[in-house]
């Protein structure tokens, strides 16, 4: 599958993907934090979350989370660190995936089982996209959307995406997307 053929299953996820990929292709880089236009994906805001990488404390902090995300966790994520939200093994998997998204930068996609903490398993679809920090011009934020629609394919369908799997995540490089611009 080519990256430009990639189409998430849920309409909410597709809205965010179309907004983000349009800017990335048009400008030759991920969107900057200040360029995020919530009106472009307004129907999806209740499923969207924004996380900032804090280099000085080597952690991720939620800057906002939609109502569906907060309801799933049973509390508001705003202002909380990844460590405050997720238990050890789950946190380690998420931290590794998010560092890969910022480090390459890359796009992370999950479908099927997207959450497992020893007590709770959730199925759905998750897309995590890098955003550039307005000041440093490097990837410093993650824009994510998590959806739990019915009728998603089984986990094995992730393999059919021909993307590199890692911790039930599929990553694809931003370089591949930008190379398609020409």
């Amino acid at each position: 599958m080519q990256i430009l053929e990639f189409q998430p299953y849920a309409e909410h996820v597709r809205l965010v993907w179309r907004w983000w990929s349009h800017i990335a292709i048009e400008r030759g880089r991920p969107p900057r934090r200040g360029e995020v236009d919530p009106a472009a994906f307004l129907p999806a805001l209740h499923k969207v979350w924004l996380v900032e990488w804090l280099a000085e404390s080597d952690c991720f902090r939620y800057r906002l989370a939609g109502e569906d995300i907060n309801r799933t966790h049973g509390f508001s994520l705003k202002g909380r660190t990844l460590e405050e939200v997720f238990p050890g093994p789950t946190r380690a998997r998420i931290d590794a995936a998010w560092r890969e998204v910022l480090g390459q930068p890359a796009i992370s996609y999950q479908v099927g089982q997207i959450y497992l903490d020893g007590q709770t398993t959730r199925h759905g679809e998750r897309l995590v996209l890098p955003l550039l920090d307005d000041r440093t011009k490097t990837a410093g934020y993650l824009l994510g959307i998590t959806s739990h629609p019915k009728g998603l394919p089984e986990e094995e369908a992730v393999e059919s995406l021909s993307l590199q799997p890692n911790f039930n995540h599929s990553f694809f490089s931003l370089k591949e997307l930008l190379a398609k611009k020409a």
Side-chain angles (χ1 to χ4, degrees), residues 1-181:
M1 168 183 275
Q2 297 297 317
I3 190 170
L4 292 181
E5 296 170 354
F6 168 66
Q7 285 298 316
Y9 293 96
E11 179 58 27
H12 293 102
V13 180
R14 284 193 302 270
L15 279 171
V16 173
W17 170 246
R18 284 192 297 258
W19 171 81
W20 187 93
S21 63
H22 172 76
I23 289 182
I25 291 168
E26 181 181 274
R27 299 186 182 151
R29 59 166 173 76
R32 290 188 178 108
R33 167 66 181 92
E35 294 172 327
V36 174
D37 178 11
F41 46 88
L42 190 61
L45 286 181
H46 61 292
K47 298 177 181 294
V48 168
W49 44 272
L50 179 72
V51 170
E52 180 180 13
W53 165 247
L54 301 172
E56 66 278 1
S57 54
D58 191 30
C59 72
F60 291 98
R61 181 176 304 280
Y62 283 89
R63 291 300 174 200
L64 63 87
E67 300 99 39
D68 278 10
I69 305 303
N70 291 329
R71 189 175 18 253
T72 296
H73 288 277
F75 54 86
S76 174
L77 299 181
K78 184 178 180 179
R80 295 181 190 250
T81 64
L82 184 63
E83 186 173 77
E84 293 172 311
V85 175
F86 293 100
T90 300
R91 180 180 61 249
R93 285 191 304 274
I94 294 169
D95 187 85
W98 288 1
R99 287 174 190 264
E100 189 160 346
V101 171
L102 289 180
Q104 287 193 35
I107 296 144
S108 171
Y109 179 68
Q110 290 175 272
V111 64
Q113 181 180 301
I114 60 170
Y115 183 81
L116 173 66
D117 71 0
Q119 299 173 356
T120 306
T121 301
R122 290 198 175 89
H123 290 79
E125 186 175 28
R126 178 176 295 130
L127 181 64
V128 183
L129 304 162
L131 296 175
L132 300 180
D133 186 298
D134 292 323
R135 297 162 291 152
T136 64
K137 309 295 189 259
T138 59
Y141 291 86
L142 299 170
L143 177 66
I145 181 162
T146 305
S147 182
H148 303 283
K150 293 183 176 149
L152 285 176
E154 297 299 318
E155 284 183 48
E156 295 81 45
V158 173
E159 295 174 14
S160 70
L161 293 173
S162 300
L163 305 175
Q164 179 183 0
N166 182 3
F167 301 123
N168 192 35
H169 288 76
S170 297
F171 294 97
F172 43 101
S173 171
L174 185 58
K175 289 179 184 178
E176 185 181 346
L177 174 68
L178 299 179
K180 303 295 181 190
K181 182 179 178 182

